[in-house]
Amino acid sequence: MSLQSYTPNYFSIDDILASQERCPCKFIVDIPKLGRLNPSAESNDLKAGTTLELPMWLAEHLSAGRHPIIAVELPRIYKEAYREILKADACAVDLHKLGLYFYEHGLYVKQFDARGDVSKILLETFQVRFRQLMDLANNIGSDPAVQDRLDSLERKLFKEGHAARTRLNTWLTDSGTPIEAAAMVINHKKRKRVDVEDII
Amino acid sequence: MNPDEVEFLAEKQLISIIPTFNSNVIHLISGDVGPFRASLPVRVPLWMAINLKQQRKCKIQPPDWMNIEQLEELKEEEKRSKTFVKMPSEHYMIEAKLLLNYATDDISRADEIRTIIKDIWDIRMSKIRSSVDTLVRNAGFYATVDHLTLMEINTMRPLLPHALDQVYRMKKAQSTRLPTQSTTLSLLNSSHRGSSLSS
């Protein structure tokens, strides 16, 4: 059982994977000799005004500083239309379909959202969906398909919660049964056969 | 924490037994136990009581609260009250489980007691579930909950503290405009502190 909850840090694989998620970026300046980044263009240079999907780790730095090279736009799933869907009923949404790292990516994306709507919707979505998550984790025997609709952050919480609940249920149901040999030992073919009659 | 660890902690609870043997005081790390005189009640830790019971060397006297009338009353009160009712024992669930498993013959109407205690547990669990949901939904950072026993608190771990950590991260992200390396670092530190408390 992991005692720590997830926090992004330099060595966190999940954080690295989350920053690989792409978001649309518009180039503000011409970039010579990088035309091959844009498969649809034939020229050798990347023209200002082209929109490309760049991974977050790249976009974050290209758009920062005093002379930004690109302007980052909000990815589709954090735009108004999707925000409305999430507001209507977050529980009904298949977050996994929207993005493997819905929350983590959102926490990166929110710096490009001047009005702060993205961070608000992330928090609201998490809060509303938590009940569902908790119920899923608390129900033993739920089929593995239930976690298909969770994003990776929720999935991690689900796994931890589910494991803890399984332990509790084993504790509750196991009623001091006598210690037995493990199934492996019993089924082990090479075990020496004890002749009962000899002993008697 | 593992439920077994909670059980281990609960086994330090004292319970009175009637031994069927004689023995001098036994010196243990946690304190002295005994002396044992046959058919004179003596208080011993729960684990020892169970062990002696399994060797058929004692009769366990169930705790005072383990009778139908008192538990019925407790159950009704638990149903009526919106908050948690104080339980007669800090580890009622564990004591009940152990005693009902190993010393059924010393407890009158053991099956009924088992059912009532399970009912009380279920009522309390559903209260915990709904209050946890309210807590997260309102993005509260703390809640005052009295009279929860250790085992009950443990049922919400690690899900609740970890979920609250995430809520905290998202809330923090809302208030800071641009995340920089330093905010990530401070988040890391604060969450270390938070989770060391919670787990």
Short mmCIF file of all heavy atoms in Angstrom, two decimals, chain A residues 79-117:
data_model
loop_
_atom_site.label_atom_id
_atom_site.label_comp_id
_atom_site.label_asym_id
_atom_site.label_seq_id
_atom_site.Cartn_x
_atom_site.Cartn_y
_atom_site.Cartn_z
N LYS A 79 -12.62 23.16 -23.30
CA LYS A 79 -13.32 24.33 -23.82
C LYS A 79 -14.75 24.38 -23.30
O LYS A 79 -15.26 23.43 -22.73
CB LYS A 79 -13.32 24.29 -25.35
CG LYS A 79 -12.01 24.81 -25.91
CD LYS A 79 -12.18 25.20 -27.35
CE LYS A 79 -10.92 25.87 -27.84
NZ LYS A 79 -10.61 25.53 -29.22
N GLU A 80 -15.35 25.53 -23.56
CA GLU A 80 -16.69 25.82 -23.06
C GLU A 80 -17.67 24.66 -23.24
O GLU A 80 -18.34 24.25 -22.30
CB GLU A 80 -17.22 27.07 -23.79
CG GLU A 80 -18.56 27.58 -23.31
CD GLU A 80 -18.48 28.25 -21.95
OE1 GLU A 80 -17.42 28.80 -21.63
OE2 GLU A 80 -19.49 28.21 -21.22
N ALA A 81 -17.73 24.10 -24.45
CA ALA A 81 -18.72 23.07 -24.75
C ALA A 81 -18.56 21.88 -23.82
O ALA A 81 -19.54 21.38 -23.24
CB ALA A 81 -18.57 22.62 -26.20
N TYR A 82 -17.32 21.43 -23.66
CA TYR A 82 -17.09 20.27 -22.79
C TYR A 82 -17.29 20.62 -21.33
O TYR A 82 -17.72 19.81 -20.52
CB TYR A 82 -15.69 19.71 -23.03
CG TYR A 82 -15.66 18.78 -24.20
CD1 TYR A 82 -15.50 19.26 -25.49
CD2 TYR A 82 -15.80 17.41 -24.02
CE1 TYR A 82 -15.49 18.41 -26.57
CE2 TYR A 82 -15.79 16.55 -25.09
CZ TYR A 82 -15.64 17.06 -26.37
OH TYR A 82 -15.64 16.20 -27.44
N ARG A 83 -16.96 21.88 -21.00
CA ARG A 83 -17.16 22.31 -19.61
C ARG A 83 -18.64 22.24 -19.25
O ARG A 83 -19.01 21.86 -18.15
CB ARG A 83 -16.64 23.73 -19.40
CG ARG A 83 -15.12 23.81 -19.40
CD ARG A 83 -14.65 24.98 -18.57
NE ARG A 83 -15.11 26.25 -19.07
CZ ARG A 83 -14.40 27.00 -19.89
NH1 ARG A 83 -13.23 26.62 -20.31
NH2 ARG A 83 -14.88 28.16 -20.30
N GLU A 84 -19.48 22.61 -20.22
CA GLU A 84 -20.92 22.55 -19.99
C GLU A 84 -21.37 21.11 -19.72
O GLU A 84 -22.17 20.85 -18.82
CB GLU A 84 -21.69 23.10 -21.20
CG GLU A 84 -21.63 24.62 -21.34
CD GLU A 84 -22.14 25.33 -20.10
OE1 GLU A 84 -23.15 24.88 -19.53
OE2 GLU A 84 -21.51 26.33 -19.70
N ILE A 85 -20.82 20.19 -20.50
CA ILE A 85 -21.18 18.78 -20.31
C ILE A 85 -20.80 18.34 -18.91
O ILE A 85 -21.56 17.70 -18.20
CB ILE A 85 -20.47 17.89 -21.35
CG1 ILE A 85 -20.91 18.28 -22.75
CG2 ILE A 85 -20.76 16.43 -21.08
CD1 ILE A 85 -20.17 17.57 -23.84
N LEU A 86 -19.59 18.70 -18.50
CA LEU A 86 -19.12 18.29 -17.18
C LEU A 86 -19.95 18.93 -16.08
O LEU A 86 -20.19 18.33 -15.04
CB LEU A 86 -17.65 18.68 -17.00
CG LEU A 86 -16.67 17.78 -17.74
CD1 LEU A 86 -15.28 18.37 -17.70
CD2 LEU A 86 -16.65 16.39 -17.14
N LYS A 87 -20.37 20.15 -16.33
CA LYS A 87 -21.18 20.83 -15.32
C LYS A 87 -22.54 20.15 -15.19
O LYS A 87 -23.08 20.02 -14.09
CB LYS A 87 -21.38 22.29 -15.72
CG LYS A 87 -20.64 23.26 -14.80
CD LYS A 87 -20.91 24.67 -15.23
CE LYS A 87 -19.62 25.47 -15.19
NZ LYS A 87 -19.70 26.70 -15.96
N ALA A 88 -23.08 19.71 -16.33
CA ALA A 88 -24.41 19.12 -16.32
C ALA A 88 -24.42 17.85 -15.47
O ALA A 88 -25.21 17.73 -14.54
CB ALA A 88 -24.86 18.82 -17.74
N ASP A 89 -23.56 16.91 -15.79
CA ASP A 89 -23.46 15.73 -14.95
C ASP A 89 -22.09 15.09 -15.15
O ASP A 89 -21.87 14.36 -16.11
CB ASP A 89 -24.57 14.73 -15.28
CG ASP A 89 -24.55 13.58 -14.27
OD1 ASP A 89 -23.74 13.65 -13.33
OD2 ASP A 89 -25.34 12.64 -14.43
N ALA A 90 -21.21 15.39 -14.23
CA ALA A 90 -19.84 14.91 -14.39
C ALA A 90 -19.76 13.40 -14.27
O ALA A 90 -18.89 12.78 -14.87
CB ALA A 90 -18.94 15.56 -13.35
N CYS A 91 -20.71 12.82 -13.52
CA CYS A 91 -20.63 11.37 -13.30
C CYS A 91 -20.88 10.58 -14.58
O CYS A 91 -20.44 9.44 -14.71
CB CYS A 91 -21.65 10.95 -12.24
SG CYS A 91 -21.22 11.55 -10.62
N ALA A 92 -21.62 11.17 -15.49
CA ALA A 92 -22.00 10.44 -16.69
C ALA A 92 -20.91 10.46 -17.75
O ALA A 92 -21.00 9.76 -18.75
CB ALA A 92 -23.29 11.02 -17.26
N VAL A 93 -19.89 11.27 -17.53
CA VAL A 93 -18.87 11.44 -18.56
C VAL A 93 -17.83 10.32 -18.47
O VAL A 93 -17.46 9.90 -17.38
CB VAL A 93 -18.18 12.80 -18.39
CG1 VAL A 93 -17.12 13.00 -19.47
CG2 VAL A 93 -19.19 13.91 -18.45
N ASP A 94 -17.42 9.86 -19.62
CA ASP A 94 -16.34 8.89 -19.68
C ASP A 94 -15.02 9.66 -19.74
O ASP A 94 -14.55 10.03 -20.80
CB ASP A 94 -16.52 8.02 -20.94
CG ASP A 94 -15.52 6.88 -20.95
OD1 ASP A 94 -14.54 6.95 -20.19
OD2 ASP A 94 -15.72 5.93 -21.72
N LEU A 95 -14.45 9.91 -18.58
CA LEU A 95 -13.24 10.75 -18.52
C LEU A 95 -12.09 10.12 -19.26
O LEU A 95 -11.26 10.79 -19.84
CB LEU A 95 -12.82 10.98 -17.06
CG LEU A 95 -13.39 12.17 -16.32
CD1 LEU A 95 -12.56 12.44 -15.09
CD2 LEU A 95 -13.41 13.40 -17.20
N HIS A 96 -12.05 8.79 -19.22
CA HIS A 96 -10.95 8.10 -19.86
C HIS A 96 -10.92 8.36 -21.35
O HIS A 96 -9.86 8.41 -21.97
CB HIS A 96 -11.09 6.60 -19.59
CG HIS A 96 -9.89 5.82 -19.99
ND1 HIS A 96 -9.88 5.02 -21.09
CD2 HIS A 96 -8.65 5.77 -19.47
CE1 HIS A 96 -8.68 4.48 -21.21
NE2 HIS A 96 -7.93 4.92 -20.24
N LYS A 97 -12.09 8.57 -21.91
CA LYS A 97 -12.18 8.87 -23.33
C LYS A 97 -11.69 10.29 -23.61
O LYS A 97 -11.10 10.56 -24.63
CB LYS A 97 -13.65 8.73 -23.76
CG LYS A 97 -13.82 7.92 -25.02
CD LYS A 97 -15.27 7.92 -25.38
CE LYS A 97 -15.70 6.60 -25.98
NZ LYS A 97 -17.15 6.50 -26.03
N LEU A 98 -11.99 11.19 -22.67
CA LEU A 98 -11.58 12.58 -22.87
C LEU A 98 -10.07 12.71 -22.84
O LEU A 98 -9.49 13.52 -23.54
CB LEU A 98 -12.17 13.47 -21.78
CG LEU A 98 -13.68 13.72 -21.84
CD1 LEU A 98 -14.04 14.85 -20.90
CD2 LEU A 98 -14.11 14.08 -23.25
N GLY A 99 -9.45 11.96 -21.99
CA GLY A 99 -8.00 12.05 -21.90
C GLY A 99 -7.55 11.20 -20.77
O GLY A 99 -8.19 11.16 -19.72
N LEU A 100 -6.44 10.50 -20.99
CA LEU A 100 -5.95 9.59 -19.96
C LEU A 100 -5.60 10.36 -18.70
O LEU A 100 -5.74 9.88 -17.59
CB LEU A 100 -4.74 8.86 -20.51
CG LEU A 100 -4.38 7.54 -19.86
CD1 LEU A 100 -5.60 6.68 -19.77
CD2 LEU A 100 -3.30 6.86 -20.64
N TYR A 101 -5.12 11.58 -18.91
CA TYR A 101 -4.70 12.39 -17.76
C TYR A 101 -5.54 13.65 -17.70
O TYR A 101 -5.02 14.75 -17.81
CB TYR A 101 -3.21 12.72 -17.87
CG TYR A 101 -2.34 11.52 -17.77
CD1 TYR A 101 -1.95 10.83 -18.90
CD2 TYR A 101 -1.95 11.04 -16.53
CE1 TYR A 101 -1.17 9.70 -18.80
CE2 TYR A 101 -1.17 9.92 -16.41
CZ TYR A 101 -0.79 9.25 -17.56
OH TYR A 101 -0.01 8.12 -17.44
N PHE A 102 -6.82 13.46 -17.51
CA PHE A 102 -7.71 14.61 -17.55
C PHE A 102 -7.33 15.66 -16.51
O PHE A 102 -7.19 16.84 -16.81
CB PHE A 102 -9.16 14.15 -17.31
CG PHE A 102 -10.15 15.27 -17.27
CD1 PHE A 102 -10.60 15.84 -18.43
CD2 PHE A 102 -10.59 15.77 -16.06
CE1 PHE A 102 -11.50 16.89 -18.40
CE2 PHE A 102 -11.49 16.81 -16.01
CZ PHE A 102 -11.95 17.37 -17.19
N TYR A 103 -7.13 15.23 -15.28
CA TYR A 103 -6.84 16.20 -14.21
C TYR A 103 -5.43 16.76 -14.32
O TYR A 103 -5.21 17.97 -14.21
CB TYR A 103 -7.02 15.55 -12.84
CG TYR A 103 -8.44 15.15 -12.55
CD1 TYR A 103 -8.81 13.82 -12.52
CD2 TYR A 103 -9.41 16.11 -12.31
CE1 TYR A 103 -10.11 13.45 -12.26
CE2 TYR A 103 -10.72 15.75 -12.05
CZ TYR A 103 -11.06 14.41 -12.02
OH TYR A 103 -12.35 14.05 -11.76
N GLU A 104 -4.47 15.86 -14.56
CA GLU A 104 -3.07 16.31 -14.60
C GLU A 104 -2.85 17.27 -15.76
O GLU A 104 -2.25 18.32 -15.61
CB GLU A 104 -2.14 15.11 -14.74
CG GLU A 104 -2.13 14.20 -13.54
CD GLU A 104 -1.91 14.95 -12.25
OE1 GLU A 104 -1.00 15.80 -12.22
OE2 GLU A 104 -2.65 14.72 -11.29
N HIS A 105 -3.36 16.88 -16.92
CA HIS A 105 -3.22 17.74 -18.09
C HIS A 105 -3.93 19.06 -17.83
O HIS A 105 -3.43 20.13 -18.17
CB HIS A 105 -3.81 17.03 -19.30
CG HIS A 105 -3.49 17.72 -20.59
ND1 HIS A 105 -4.28 17.60 -21.70
CD2 HIS A 105 -2.48 18.54 -20.94
CE1 HIS A 105 -3.76 18.31 -22.68
NE2 HIS A 105 -2.66 18.89 -22.24
N GLY A 106 -5.08 18.95 -17.21
CA GLY A 106 -5.86 20.16 -16.91
C GLY A 106 -5.10 21.12 -16.02
O GLY A 106 -5.16 22.34 -16.19
N LEU A 107 -4.36 20.54 -15.07
CA LEU A 107 -3.60 21.41 -14.17
C LEU A 107 -2.47 22.13 -14.92
O LEU A 107 -2.05 23.21 -14.53
CB LEU A 107 -3.01 20.58 -13.01
CG LEU A 107 -4.03 20.17 -11.94
CD1 LEU A 107 -3.40 19.26 -10.91
CD2 LEU A 107 -4.59 21.40 -11.25
N TYR A 108 -1.99 21.50 -16.00
CA TYR A 108 -1.01 22.21 -16.84
C TYR A 108 -1.69 23.25 -17.71
O TYR A 108 -1.21 24.36 -17.88
CB TYR A 108 -0.26 21.22 -17.74
CG TYR A 108 0.87 20.51 -17.06
CD1 TYR A 108 0.79 19.18 -16.72
CD2 TYR A 108 2.05 21.20 -16.77
CE1 TYR A 108 1.83 18.53 -16.09
CE2 TYR A 108 3.10 20.57 -16.15
CZ TYR A 108 2.99 19.24 -15.81
OH TYR A 108 4.03 18.61 -15.19
N VAL A 109 -2.83 22.82 -18.27
CA VAL A 109 -3.51 23.67 -19.23
C VAL A 109 -4.02 24.96 -18.59
O VAL A 109 -4.06 26.00 -19.21
CB VAL A 109 -4.67 22.89 -19.88
CG1 VAL A 109 -5.66 23.81 -20.56
CG2 VAL A 109 -4.13 21.88 -20.86
N LYS A 110 -4.35 24.86 -17.32
CA LYS A 110 -5.05 25.99 -16.71
C LYS A 110 -4.21 27.26 -16.71
O LYS A 110 -4.75 28.35 -16.60
CB LYS A 110 -5.48 25.63 -15.30
CG LYS A 110 -4.32 25.50 -14.36
CD LYS A 110 -4.60 26.18 -13.06
CE LYS A 110 -3.35 26.28 -12.29
NZ LYS A 110 -2.69 27.41 -12.02
N GLN A 111 -2.89 27.15 -16.88
CA GLN A 111 -2.08 28.37 -16.91
C GLN A 111 -2.30 29.18 -18.19
O GLN A 111 -1.95 30.35 -18.25
CB GLN A 111 -0.61 28.04 -16.76
CG GLN A 111 -0.11 27.06 -17.80
CD GLN A 111 1.33 26.71 -17.58
OE1 GLN A 111 2.17 27.58 -17.46
NE2 GLN A 111 1.61 25.41 -17.52
N PHE A 112 -2.91 28.55 -19.20
CA PHE A 112 -3.19 29.28 -20.42
C PHE A 112 -4.63 29.78 -20.46
O PHE A 112 -5.10 30.29 -21.46
CB PHE A 112 -2.93 28.38 -21.64
CG PHE A 112 -1.56 27.79 -21.62
CD1 PHE A 112 -1.36 26.45 -21.45
CD2 PHE A 112 -0.45 28.63 -21.73
CE1 PHE A 112 -0.10 25.91 -21.41
CE2 PHE A 112 0.83 28.10 -21.69
CZ PHE A 112 1.01 26.74 -21.53
N ASP A 113 -5.31 29.56 -19.36
CA ASP A 113 -6.71 29.97 -19.29
C ASP A 113 -6.79 31.15 -18.34
O ASP A 113 -6.69 31.01 -17.14
CB ASP A 113 -7.55 28.79 -18.78
CG ASP A 113 -8.96 29.21 -18.49
OD1 ASP A 113 -9.52 29.94 -19.33
OD2 ASP A 113 -9.49 28.82 -17.43
N ALA A 114 -6.96 32.31 -18.93
CA ALA A 114 -6.86 33.54 -18.14
C ALA A 114 -7.99 33.66 -17.12
O ALA A 114 -7.81 34.23 -16.05
CB ALA A 114 -6.87 34.75 -19.07
N ARG A 115 -9.14 33.10 -17.46
CA ARG A 115 -10.29 33.34 -16.57
C ARG A 115 -10.41 32.33 -15.43
O ARG A 115 -11.25 32.47 -14.55
CB ARG A 115 -11.58 33.34 -17.40
CG ARG A 115 -11.81 34.69 -18.07
CD ARG A 115 -13.08 34.65 -18.85
NE ARG A 115 -13.02 33.60 -19.86
CZ ARG A 115 -14.07 33.20 -20.55
NH1 ARG A 115 -15.26 33.72 -20.30
NH2 ARG A 115 -13.95 32.28 -21.45
N GLY A 116 -9.59 31.31 -15.48
CA GLY A 116 -9.61 30.35 -14.38
C GLY A 116 -10.78 29.38 -14.41
O GLY A 116 -11.08 28.73 -13.42
N ASP A 117 -11.44 29.29 -15.58
CA ASP A 117 -12.57 28.36 -15.66
C ASP A 117 -12.11 26.91 -15.61
O ASP A 117 -12.80 26.05 -15.08
CB ASP A 117 -13.34 28.59 -16.97
CG ASP A 117 -14.13 29.88 -16.90
OD1 ASP A 117 -14.42 30.31 -15.77
OD2 ASP A 117 -14.43 30.45 -17.96
#
